[in-house]
Amino acid sequence: MSFVVAQSHFIFGVRTGVRNNLCFFDEQTVVFPSGNSCVCFNTVQRWQRFISGSERSQGMRAMTISSNRRYLAVSDYGERATVTVFDLQHEQGRKRKVLSAGDMSVQEFICIAFSPDSKYLIGLTGSPEWMLILWLWEKHKLLATLKTTNTNNPVTQVSFNPYSNTQLCVSGTGVFKLFRYSEGALKPSSVAKVESINFLCHTWVSEHRVIAGTDTGRLLVFESGDLRREISMTCVDPSLMSDVLAYTRFTLHRQVEVKKIKDANVNEGPSVPSITAILSYSKGFACSRGPGTVFLFEQTDENGYRKTREIKVNVQALFQKRWKQIDTICISPAEETLAISTNRGQLYSVSLSSVDMNKEDKLHFEFLSQSFHSSSITGLSICIRKPLVATCSLDRSVRIWNYETKVLELCKEFQEEAYSVALHPTGLFILVGFSDRLRLMNLLIDDIRTFKEFTVRSCRECAFSNGGHMFAAVNGNIIQIYSVTSFDNILNLKGHNGKVCRIEWSLDDSRVVSCGVDGAVYEWNTQTGKRESESVLKSCSYTGVAFSSDCKTILAVGTDLTLKEIQDCQVLREVPADETAHTALAVSHSGRVVFTGTSSGTVRAIKYPLPIQKEWMTYQAHSGPVTKMVITYDDQFLLTVSEDGCLLIWKIIDKEGRGLKSNKHIVHTEEILITKSDLEEKTQHMLEMKMRLEELQMENEYQLRLKDMNYNEKLRELSDNFVQQIESLKTSQQVCLCYTRAQLHIDLQLKGQNHSKELKDLELSYSQKLIVEHEKYQDLQQKHQRMQEDYEKQLKSAEDRKIQAVEELTKMYEAKLQEKAELLAQEDTEQKISVFKAIIKQAEEDEERKILEIQTNYEKKMKTEKQTNTNLKGKNSIMAQKFISLQKQIDDRSADINKLKQERQRLLGLIRSLESDIEDLKRQISGHEKTSQDKDHIISCLKRKNQELEKLKFVLEFQLNELKQKTEPLQHDINVKKERISQVCERWKSLCRAISRVRQLEEELIQTDKSNAQLKLTVSELKLKLKTRDKEMCKESQKVKDLETHLQRLKSDLHNCVGFIQEPKTLKDNIQMIYARYVQAAWMLGGLVKSAEEHEKVYTKIMKENMTLIAEINELRKELHLARTQAKDVRAQLALLKKPKKSQPILEEPSTPGATHSHKPHGYTNQ
C-alpha cells in the first residue's frame, strides 16, 4: 500500500509583521508571506505556487525582490538569523543561497534590500547593534559590516540607490545617513542632523534625492543627504507659485525654513496621521497617510511635486471601525496596478491605467483576491452536500469559503468574538458559539441571519451529527445535545471535571467521543446518555480526539507529546513524539492515514494502523500552533487553520501523484436559501426593470424611426447636391482640358525650335575640342615609348652586377662556416664526456646508500617476526587444549539439535497443512475480489460512455441554438448597407444591366424558399432522433445503478467474512453461505461480459450515427447560411429596383441619370 502524501494547494491569509510583505513578480502575479511559506499568487488565473520556509526558523522578519524580478530574499529570525535567496523563475522556487552574519551573533534582520544590478544584498540587524551587513551573495561572500548609530534609537529601513550599486540610505528615529561602499568598507558620506524626527520610511526619487515620511505625517526632501524642504500635503509646491516674489522669498529664506523643520516638535497631537509606507515610480511617488489612504504625487518640474490623487480603501462601515495602517505599497512592472498590504492582514489593489486615472470619480482600493481573517481562527467545519468550509475567528467574523473554486462565498462580522462554528451537513445552516449565547443561523444567498438562540455561554466547541437531526454543544464541562427540529435539550452528558476541548460524532450518530483538560477521554451513548468507555490520564491535557475510520477505536492527542489509540478503556498503541506537542488531529475516511497538527505549526502524516516507532512525514504549514484540522468527506482535501489567521487547503494524494479513491460517491448540490421578503423584493425589482426596459425599447424604436426619417431626407439632399456638383465639375473639366491642350501645343513648338538650335551649337564646339585632344594624345604616346626603351637597358645592366656580387659572397661565407663547425665539434665532445663521468659517480654513491638502508630495515623486521613466532607457538598450545574441550561440547549439542530437528519437521508438517488451508481461503477471496474489480471496471467504462453521449447532446443543442439565432436579421448589416447607399451615386451606369437580371433573381428566390422548407423538415427529424437517444441513455444508467447495488452487497458480505479470518470454522461456514447465495456469480460473469460487449456495440453504433448527424447538420447549416444570404441580397435588390420602376419618366432623360438611379443596390455589385 503506497503511503499518502499531503501537498499544499491553496492558502487564505497573509502573514503580518514582515517588512515589505507584498511585491509584484509580473503584471498578474504577486508574492506575499502566508503561514510558514511565501506564496506566488496569479490574480487572473487564481493559482498559487508555494516557496517553503526553512524548518529551523522561528518566523519571517523581512523580504525583498530584486529589480529584475528574478530573486526573492527572505530573512528568518532565530538564534542565528539567516537570509535565504530563492530563484523565482524556477518552478518550485529553488533555494540559491543561505546567508548569515558570519561569526557575529545576530538574531534578526529587520530590513533587507538588493542592489540595482541584483549582485549585492544589504541587511539591517535589530537592536541593540543596528548593524549593516553587505554580501556579494552569489559568491556567498561577506564584504563589509558597519554599525549605523551609537545611540539606542531604532533604525527602520535601509535601501540602495537605484542609480548606484555602492550608495546606501539608512533612516530611523533621529537617524538619516548615507553610506558608500569603497575600498572594501562601508563609509558614511553624509549625516543629517535630525535628532527630533522619527522617520518611518523613505524612497529614492532620483540619483541625489530622497523623500522620507515621518510619524507626524510630514514629507521631507533630502538632496545629497542634506534636508532641503518639506512637501505640502494640501497645497502646491512653492516652485509652482505663479507669483515670482513668493518664490524668491522662499529660496532666500530656505535655510531658516530647514532649521524650523529640524526644530519642529513631534507633539502635533494624536490625530495626525503618520506616513508608514512610501514608493517612487516614473511619474512621482505614492505614500500612505492615515488608515487605508494613499496619496499620489506627480513631479511638476525639477524640484516641485503636486498631489494628484487620493485613493481610499472601499470597505463597509463595520470594517472601517477597526481599520489600521498600511504596511507596504508596491507597483506592477508596467505601472498599471498599485497594491497595498495592511497590518490587519488584508491585500488591496487599484488600477492606475490612463482610462481609470482620467475619470473624475474617486478611485478606491478593492480586495486583491478576497478578505482574510486578521486574528486567530478558533473554529473550522465542513458539510457533506456542498464544497463549503466555515471558519470563525477572534476578529469577530464568520466566513464561508468554497474549497473547490477557492472563493470567499459569505462573510459576516458580529459585535462579539466567535469561539466555535459548525456547518449543517446540508450546508444551509450554521451554528456559531459566542461569548453570550449559541446561535443557529441560516446561510442565505448574501447574508447570515440568526433564527434561534440557545443559552450556552462561551461555547468553545459544537458539532452537528452526520444525519443533521441533532447537534452537540459544550457548556463548560457539560455536553448538551439538542434536537434540530424541535430545538429541545435532549441530553446533558456530565462527567468531565474540566473544560471539554473537543467532541466528535460517530458515523451512525449513536456515539459521541469527547476529551478535556482533565485528561479524560469519554465515549457516550447518544440514546441513553451513558458512558460506554473511558480513559483517564490526569497528567495529560487532551487537545484533540477522533474516531477511527471504522469507529471501533478512538485516537487522541494532548500535552504529553504522544498520539494514543484507545479501545475498550485501554491504550492499544502509542506513537511517541519529539519535543513538539500535537494540538489537533484528523483521520481519513479510507483509514489509511492520520494527520496531526503541532504547536510549531507543522502538519504530520502518520500511517494507519499506527507505527510503534517515530515514523511520519512532516510538512511546513503555519507560523503558529494549528488549532483545527478536518478532512473532506471524499478524502480529497485536508483543511487546517492556525493562530496565524490562515486557512490552508492541502491536496491528499499518494506518492504517484494520484488522488485517493473514496468508497463514497458524494454529489454536491447548488441549492441556496433566500427569504420570502428578499425574493418578493427581487421579483418586484425585476418587474420594474422589465417595465423600464420596455419603455426604453419603445423610446429607442421611436428615436430610431425619427433618425431614419431625418437621415433619409439628408441623403436625398446630399444626393441632389452631389449630382449638381458632378455636372458643374464635368463642364469645368472639359473647358480646362481644351485650354490646356492649346497651351501645351504652342509651348511644345517653341521648345522644339530652341532645342534644335542648341544641339547644332554644341556639335560644332565639341568637334573642335576633339581634334585638339587627339593631337595631344599622339605626342604623349611617342614620349612614353622612348622612356620605356631607356628603362629596359638600365634594368639589364643592374641584374648582371647583382649576380656577380652574390656568387662572391657565397664562396667567402662557406669557407668561414667550415672552420667554425670543426671548432664547435671538438668543444662539445669534451664537455659531454666530463658530464657523463660526474653522473655515473653520483649514481653509484646513491645506490650504495640505498642498499645499506634496505639491509638495516630487513634485519629489524626479522627480529620482530622471530619474537612474534615464539609468542604464537605458546598461544597455539593453549588453543589446542580449548579446541578439544569445545569439540566435546559440540558433540553434546549436535545430539540436542537432532532431537529439535525432528520436532521442527513435525511442526512444519502441521504449518504446511494450515498454510494450504489458508491459501485455499485466500484464493477464494482473491477470486471474489477479481470479480468485483471487473464489475467496477465495466461500470466505470459505462459511466465514461454516458458522459461522452451527454457531451454530444450538449454540442448538438448548442449548434441548433446557433442555427436559430442566425436566421434572424442583423441590425448591423442594415446599418452597413445604409452607409453604402451614399456611394451608389458613382455606379449609376450598372443599373441598366441589373434590370435584365431581375427575372433570374425571382426564380432563385422561389428555389431558396423550397430548400428552406426541406431544411426545416430535416431539423425536425434530427430532434426526434436526439429524443430517442436520450431515452436509451436513461435505460443504460438504470442498469448501471442496479449493478452497483449488487456489487455493494457482495463487498459487504466479503468484508464481514474477513473479520473471521482467525476462526477457520466460522470462516468456512460464511464462505459456504456466500457461495450458496452468489452461486450464480460465475454465470453472471459471462452474462456481464456479453452484456458489456452488446453495450459497446450499441454505443459504437450511437457514436457513428451521432457523427453522421453532426456532419449532416453542419452541411445543412452551411446551405442554410448561403441560402439566407442570397435571399437577403435578392430581396434588397428587388426592393431597391422597384423604386426606379416607379420613376421611369426620369430614366428617359439622358442628362440626369445619376439622380434617378442613385439608390442602386451596392450589395449586388460586391457579391
Side-chain angles (χ1 to χ4, degrees):
M1 180 171 28
S2 63
F3 190 62
V4 178
V5 178
Q7 185 179 7
S8 300
H9 184 57
F10 205 86
I11 192 165
F12 297 100
V14 179
R15 185 170 181 172
T16 57
V18 180
R19 182 90 184 178
N20 298 326
N21 63 349
L22 181 64
C23 53
F24 274 93
F25 174 54
D26 55 30
E27 283 297 320
Q28 299 176 355
T29 309
V30 293
V31 183
F32 58 87
S34 184
N36 200 29
S37 305
C38 288
V39 180
C40 297
F41 174 56
N42 189 297
T43 57
V44 178
Q45 299 177 1
R46 299 191 60 77
W47 54 258
Q48 286 184 353
R49 179 160 60 93
F50 289 81
I51 302 171
S52 298
S54 57
E55 296 178 1
R56 296 180 181 178
S57 74
Q58 298 177 8
M60 298 179 197
R61 193 68 180 86
M63 61 180 277
T64 185
I65 194 168
S66 61
S67 56
N68 58 4
R69 313 279 175 177
R70 179 174 180 179
Y71 302 111
L72 178 74
V74 180
S75 71
D76 301 314
Y77 65 88
E79 293 179 0
R80 290 184 66 82
T82 58
V83 176
T84 309
V85 182
F86 298 95
D87 189 354
L88 293 177
Q89 290 185 357
H90 194 266
E91 289 183 359
Q92 297 178 353
R94 183 167 60 90
K95 190 183 290 185
R96 290 291 299 268
K97 295 290 179 184
V98 179
L99 309 174
S100 63
D103 298 332
M104 292 181 288
S105 61
V106 176
Q107 294 184 351
E108 63 176 351
F109 290 97
I110 61 169
C111 186
I112 52 178
F114 276 103
S115 62
D117 59 356
S118 306
K119 288 183 180 179
Y120 300 102
L121 186 69
I122 190 71
L124 176 65
T125 65
S127 61
E129 290 86 3
W130 308 109
M131 291 187 69
L132 289 177
I133 299 176
L134 181 66
W135 292 280
L136 183 63
W137 69 268
E138 288 184 342
K139 294 183 179 179
H140 205 283
K141 185 178 179 182
L142 194 149
L143 296 177
T145 60
L146 180 70
K147 193 170 183 180
T148 56
T149 179
N150 295 321
T151 61
N152 292 323
N153 292 333
V155 180
T156 55
Q157 187 180 355
V158 62
S159 65
F160 269 99
N161 187 339
Y163 303 94
S164 173
N165 285 336
T166 58
Q167 193 173 17
L168 303 166
C169 179
V170 175
S171 64
T173 303
V175 177
F176 189 90
K177 297 179 181 180
L178 296 182
F179 297 93
R180 190 174 290 278
Y181 177 70
S182 63
E183 298 177 357
L186 285 169
K187 298 176 182 178
S189 59
S190 68
V191 179
K193 294 181 180 180
V194 286
E195 290 82 4
S196 61
I197 301 174
N198 182 9
F199 294 102
L200 300 179
C201 55
H202 70 262
T203 185
W204 293 81
V205 292
S206 67
E207 190 175 357
H208 303 289
R209 185 178 297 166
V210 181
I211 297 176
T214 69
D215 59 345
T216 56
R218 295 155 66 196
L219 287 172
L220 304 180
V221 180
F222 292 82
E223 289 185 3
S224 300
D226 297 328
L227 180 58
R228 298 294 185 189
R229 61 186 176 279
E230 181 177 355
I231 297 174
S232 175
M233 302 293 281
T234 55
C235 61
V236 184
D237 194 83
S239 62
L240 293 177
M241 292 180 182
S242 59
D243 191 0
V244 180
L245 279 170
Y247 180 69
T248 53
R249 286 173 186 170
F250 175 80
T251 53
L252 285 169
H253 299 286
R254 188 171 62 185
Q255 294 179 353
V256 179
E257 288 179 3
V258 169
K259 191 174 179 182
K260 287 179 182 177
I261 291 167
K262 291 179 182 178
D263 296 336
N265 291 324
V266 183
N267 300 323
E268 294 187 12
S271 62
V272 177
S274 58
I275 297 172
T276 55
I278 189 168
L279 175 75
S280 64
Y281 64 105
S282 61
K283 295 180 180 179
F285 66 92
C287 68
S288 67
R289 184 175 169 85
T293 305
V294 171
F295 288 170
L296 296 183
F297 287 83
E298 288 187 3
Q299 189 170 6
T300 54
D301 60 3
E302 234 180 87
N303 299 317
Y305 293 91
R306 178 174 58 88
K307 187 178 81 172
T308 56
R309 281 280 184 178
E310 180 179 351
I311 310 172
K312 291 189 175 182
V313 175
N314 189 12
V315 290
Q316 299 174 357
L318 273 171
F319 290 94
Q320 287 176 351
K321 290 178 183 177
R322 297 196 303 273
W323 215 253
K324 299 295 180 184
Q325 67 185 15
I326 295 169
D327 281 346
T328 307
I329 303 174
C330 65
I331 197 165
S332 62
E335 297 185 355
E336 292 285 331
T337 307
L338 186 74
I340 61 170
S341 67
T342 67
N343 64 346
R344 299 288 295 176
Q346 307 296 329
L347 301 179
Y348 297 92
S349 67
V350 68
S351 176
L352 295 181
S353 62
S354 59
V355 177
D356 296 330
M357 293 293 285
N358 291 329
K359 291 179 181 177
E360 294 182 358
D361 298 337
K362 288 185 178 180
L363 288 176
H364 292 284
F365 282 106
E366 300 293 340
F367 284 111
L368 190 65
S369 56
Q370 53 259 327
S371 63
F372 304 128
H373 283 295
S374 57
S375 187
S376 174
I377 298 175
T378 56
L380 175 71
S381 179
I382 58 170
C383 60
I384 301 173
R385 293 298 176 196
K386 290 185 179 182
L388 299 179
V389 55
T391 56
C392 64
S393 171
L394 296 179
D395 62 0
R396 301 178 182 178
S397 68
V398 175
R399 298 169 194 264
I400 309 296
W401 316 82
N402 191 317
Y403 57 80
E404 284 187 352
T405 59
K406 294 167 278 191
V407 172
L408 177 65
E409 298 282 350
L410 280 174
C411 177
K412 183 71 177 287
E413 285 223 352
F414 298 91
Q415 298 297 326
E416 303 90 12
E417 292 179 348
Y419 297 126
S420 61
V421 69
L423 265 178
H424 194 267
T426 59
L428 300 174
F429 312 103
I430 189 170
L431 194 67
V432 184
F434 294 97
S435 57
D436 55 349
R437 59 191 64 210
L438 182 70
R439 296 175 185 172
L440 185 63
M441 295 182 276
N442 285 325
L443 291 180
L444 303 178
I445 188 170
D446 54 359
D447 194 13
I448 304 173
R449 293 186 188 174
T450 305
F451 71 93
K452 182 65 180 176
E453 293 183 348
F454 303 93
T455 57
V456 180
R457 293 181 178 273
S458 299
C459 179
R460 299 281 177 175
E461 189 68 28
C462 59
F464 277 101
S465 63
N466 292 308
H469 58 291
M470 293 183 290
F471 68 86
V474 173
N475 190 358
N477 57 356
I478 301 169
I479 302 169
Q480 297 179 345
I481 296 177
Y482 289 86
S483 171
V484 175
T485 54
S486 62
F487 306 121
D488 294 332
N489 187 1
I490 302 169
L491 287 173
N492 288 323
L493 307 178
K494 298 179 181 179
H496 284 281
N497 295 324
K499 288 183 179 180
V500 180
C501 294
R502 179 75 172 150
I503 55 174
E504 186 171 342
W505 293 81
S506 62
L507 291 174
D508 57 356
D509 297 334
S510 62
R511 290 172 294 162
V512 171
V513 65
S514 63
C515 68
V517 181
D518 56 353
V521 176
Y522 294 142
E523 186 179 2
W524 309 87
N525 191 319
T526 56
Q527 302 295 326
T528 60
K530 294 180 180 179
R531 280 186 293 199
E532 291 191 352
S533 66
E534 62 182 18
S535 175
V536 181
L537 183 64
K538 292 185 178 180
S539 62
C540 173
S541 177
Y542 286 105
T543 55
V545 69
F547 278 108
S548 61
S549 58
D550 55 0
C551 294
K552 291 182 179 179
T553 59
I554 299 167
L555 298 163
V557 293
T559 56
D560 62 347
L561 313 181
T562 60
L563 170 62
K564 298 181 180 66
E565 187 174 9
I566 303 166
Q567 186 177 16
D568 297 332
C569 306
Q570 293 180 354
V571 177
L572 283 180
R573 297 181 189 88
E574 187 171 337
V575 180
D578 49 9
E579 296 176 356
T580 56
H582 299 283
T583 55
L585 84 159
V587 184
S588 67
H589 300 280
S590 61
R592 291 172 61 181
V593 67
V594 177
F595 291 102
T596 63
T598 65
S599 58
S600 63
T602 58
V603 172
R604 293 174 178 173
I606 306 170
K607 284 184 182 179
Y608 189 82
L610 298 177
I612 299 170
Q613 299 176 351
K614 297 179 181 180
E615 294 179 3
W616 56 68
M617 293 183 71
T618 305
Y619 306 100
Q620 296 296 316
H622 296 277
S623 59
V626 178
T627 54
K628 302 280 182 182
M629 59 194 315
V630 67
I631 298 174
T632 58
Y633 287 93
D634 55 359
D635 278 349
Q636 297 299 311
F637 298 101
L638 168 69
L639 309 170
T640 60
V641 294
S642 168
E643 289 182 6
D644 61 3
C646 295
L647 166 63
L648 182 54
I649 302 173
W650 304 78
K651 204 166 186 178
I652 304 174
I653 55 175
D654 55 16
K655 283 195 173 180
E656 295 175 358
R658 296 175 298 186
L660 298 184
K661 291 183 179 178
S662 177
N663 296 326
K664 298 178 181 178
H665 182 65
I666 296 169
V667 180
H668 290 150
T669 60
E670 295 182 354
E671 288 79 10
I672 53 171
L673 290 178
I674 186 167
T675 60
K676 189 177 180 181
S677 59
D678 291 342
L679 189 63
E680 288 174 353
E681 285 178 5
K682 287 184 179 180
T683 51
Q684 185 66 32
H685 185 64
M686 284 174 69
L687 287 170
E688 290 175 358
M689 293 300 288
K690 281 181 182 178
M691 293 289 289
R692 178 66 180 156
L693 201 148
E694 288 175 357
E695 289 175 0
L696 288 170
Q697 282 180 349
M698 294 289 288
E699 288 179 4
N700 285 331
E701 286 176 359
Y702 178 69
Q703 292 293 330
L704 282 170
R705 286 175 187 171
L706 287 175
K707 286 180 181 179
D708 287 337
M709 296 288 288
N710 293 325
Y711 285 134
N712 288 326
E713 290 177 359
K714 287 180 181 179
L715 279 170
R716 286 172 188 170
E717 291 175 0
L718 287 169
S719 61
D720 294 335
N721 291 327
F722 279 130
V723 170
Q724 291 174 2
Q725 288 176 7
I726 287 163
E727 288 175 355
S728 62
L729 288 169
K730 279 182 180 179
T731 54
S732 62
Q733 188 180 6
Q734 289 175 359
V735 172
C736 288
L737 281 170
C738 295
Y739 179 71
T740 51
R741 282 174 186 173
Q743 276 191 347
L744 284 169
H745 186 67
I746 295 163
D747 292 336
L748 282 169
Q749 287 178 355
L750 292 169
K751 285 180 180 179
Q753 292 173 1
N754 294 327
H755 186 62
S756 61
K757 286 179 182 179
E758 288 175 359
L759 277 173
K760 288 176 182 178
D761 295 334
L762 287 169
E763 283 176 359
L764 290 168
S765 62
Y766 279 114
S767 62
Q768 292 174 1
K769 287 178 181 179
L770 279 169
I771 291 163
V772 173
E773 292 293 330
H774 183 67
E775 290 175 355
K776 288 180 181 179
Y777 174 72
Q778 286 178 353
D779 294 335
L780 289 168
Q781 198 169 9
Q782 289 175 2
K783 287 179 182 180
H784 178 67
Q785 287 177 358
R786 290 171 193 165
M787 293 286 286
Q788 196 169 5
E789 289 174 358
D790 294 334
Y791 280 119
E792 285 176 357
K793 289 176 182 178
Q794 289 175 7
L795 283 169
K796 284 180 182 179
S797 62
E799 284 178 0
D800 293 335
R801 290 171 193 168
K802 186 181 177 183
I803 291 164
Q804 289 177 2
V806 168
E807 287 177 355
E808 290 174 358
L809 287 169
T810 51
K811 288 176 181 179
M812 184 176 69
Y813 281 113
E814 282 176 358
K816 289 180 180 180
L817 279 169
Q818 286 178 1
E819 291 174 0
K820 287 184 179 180
E822 290 174 357
L823 290 170
L824 286 169
Q826 289 176 0
E827 291 176 357
D828 290 336
T829 51
E830 288 175 358
Q831 287 178 359
K832 286 178 181 178
I833 289 162
S834 61
V835 169
F836 278 121
K837 285 179 181 179
I839 290 166
I840 288 162
K841 284 180 183 179
Q842 287 179 358
E844 287 175 353
E845 290 174 358
D846 293 335
E847 285 176 357
E848 286 176 357
R849 286 174 189 170
K850 287 180 182 178
I851 288 162
L852 287 170
E853 288 175 357
I854 290 163
Q855 282 179 356
T856 54
N857 289 327
Y858 277 113
E859 284 174 357
K860 289 178 183 177
K861 286 180 181 178
M862 284 291 288
K863 287 178 183 179
T864 54
E865 285 178 357
K866 284 178 181 178
Q867 289 176 0
T868 53
N869 196 2
T870 54
N871 292 327
L872 288 169
K873 284 179 181 178
K875 288 179 181 179
N876 194 6
S877 60
I878 295 164
M879 293 297 289
Q881 292 175 1
K882 287 182 180 179
F883 179 74
I884 293 162
S885 62
L886 288 168
Q887 191 69 35
K888 290 178 183 178
Q889 290 178 4
I890 287 164
D891 293 333
D892 296 334
R893 293 288 172 87
S894 62
D896 295 333
I897 287 163
N898 290 325
K899 291 178 183 177
L900 291 169
K901 281 182 179 178
Q902 291 175 359
E903 290 179 0
R904 183 173 173 276
Q905 287 176 356
R906 184 172 60 78
L907 292 169
L908 283 169
L910 289 169
I911 288 162
R912 284 171 186 166
S913 62
L914 291 169
E915 283 179 350
S916 61
D917 295 335
I918 290 163
E919 285 177 356
D920 294 334
L921 293 169
K922 284 182 178 178
R923 284 171 190 167
Q924 292 175 3
I925 291 163
S926 64
H928 290 299
E929 287 178 352
K930 285 179 182 177
T931 55
S932 64
Q933 288 176 0
D934 293 335
K935 289 177 182 177
D936 289 333
H937 181 66
I938 292 161
I939 290 161
S940 64
C941 292
L942 291 170
K943 285 180 179 178
R944 287 174 189 166
K945 290 175 181 176
N946 192 0
Q947 289 175 358
E948 289 174 357
L949 287 170
E950 286 177 355
K951 287 178 182 176
L952 286 170
K953 180 184 174 184
F954 177 76
V955 169
L956 289 171
E957 287 177 354
F958 182 76
Q959 289 174 351
L960 283 170
N961 290 325
E962 280 186 347
L963 288 170
K964 288 178 182 178
Q965 289 174 1
K966 288 180 181 179
T967 56
E968 296 175 359
L970 298 171
Q971 189 67 28
H972 180 69
D973 293 334
I974 293 166
N975 293 328
V976 170
K977 287 177 181 178
K978 282 180 181 179
E979 291 175 359
R980 289 178 182 173
I981 289 168
S982 62
Q983 301 173 0
V984 172
C985 58
E986 297 176 359
R987 299 176 184 177
W988 58 272
K989 292 181 182 179
S990 61
L991 185 62
C992 298
R993 296 176 187 172
I995 293 166
S996 62
R997 296 182 186 174
V998 170
R999 293 177 183 176
Q1000 295 177 358
L1001 294 172
E1002 287 177 351
E1003 292 176 358
E1004 287 177 0
L1005 264 175
I1006 295 162
Q1007 291 178 359
T1008 51
D1009 291 333
K1010 290 179 181 179
S1011 63
N1012 281 331
Q1014 290 177 357
L1015 289 169
K1016 286 178 182 177
L1017 289 170
T1018 52
V1019 169
S1020 62
E1021 288 175 0
L1022 290 170
K1023 285 181 180 178
L1024 290 170
K1025 287 181 180 179
L1026 277 172
K1027 288 179 182 178
T1028 54
R1029 295 291 180 274
D1030 291 336
K1031 289 178 182 178
E1032 289 175 1
M1033 287 290 293
C1034 294
K1035 290 178 183 177
E1036 293 299 329
S1037 62
Q1038 188 63 37
K1039 289 180 182 178
V1040 170
K1041 287 179 182 176
D1042 295 338
L1043 288 170
E1044 284 180 351
T1045 54
H1046 193 72
L1047 268 172
Q1048 286 176 357
R1049 290 174 186 169
L1050 181 61
K1051 283 181 182 178
S1052 63
D1053 292 337
L1054 286 170
H1055 182 70
N1056 293 327
C1057 283
V1058 172
F1060 302 105
I1061 198 162
Q1062 294 180 355
E1063 299 175 1
K1065 290 182 180 179
T1066 54
L1067 181 63
K1068 191 175 180 181
D1069 295 335
N1070 283 319
I1071 288 167
Q1072 286 176 356
M1073 288 286 288
I1074 290 166
Y1075 183 77
R1077 188 178 297 172
Y1078 300 102
V1079 72
Q1080 296 178 354
W1083 297 307
M1084 281 179 69
L1085 277 172
L1088 281 169
V1089 172
K1090 289 179 183 177
S1091 63
E1093 290 175 355
E1094 289 174 359
H1095 284 306
E1096 285 179 356
K1097 290 177 182 178
V1098 170
Y1099 281 121
T1100 51
K1101 273 186 183 179
I1102 291 165
M1103 290 289 286
K1104 287 177 182 177
E1105 289 176 0
N1106 281 329
M1107 292 297 287
T1108 53
L1109 287 170
I1110 289 165
E1112 288 175 4
I1113 287 166
N1114 287 327
E1115 289 174 0
L1116 291 169
R1117 188 173 64 185
K1118 289 177 183 177
E1119 291 176 3
L1120 253 176
H1121 185 68
L1122 288 169
R1124 283 173 180 159
T1125 52
Q1126 289 176 2
K1128 285 179 185 178
D1129 293 334
V1130 169
R1131 284 169 185 165
Q1133 290 167 4
L1134 284 170
L1136 290 167
L1137 289 168
K1138 284 175 183 177
K1139 291 180 181 178
K1141 284 182 182 179
K1142 293 177 182 179
S1143 57
Q1144 279 180 359
I1146 302 168
L1147 281 167
E1148 292 174 1
E1149 296 177 4
S1151 60
T1152 59
T1156 55
H1157 302 292
S1158 61
H1159 298 283
K1160 184 182 75 66
H1162 180 66
Y1164 179 79
T1165 57
N1166 292 328
Q1167 279 182 354

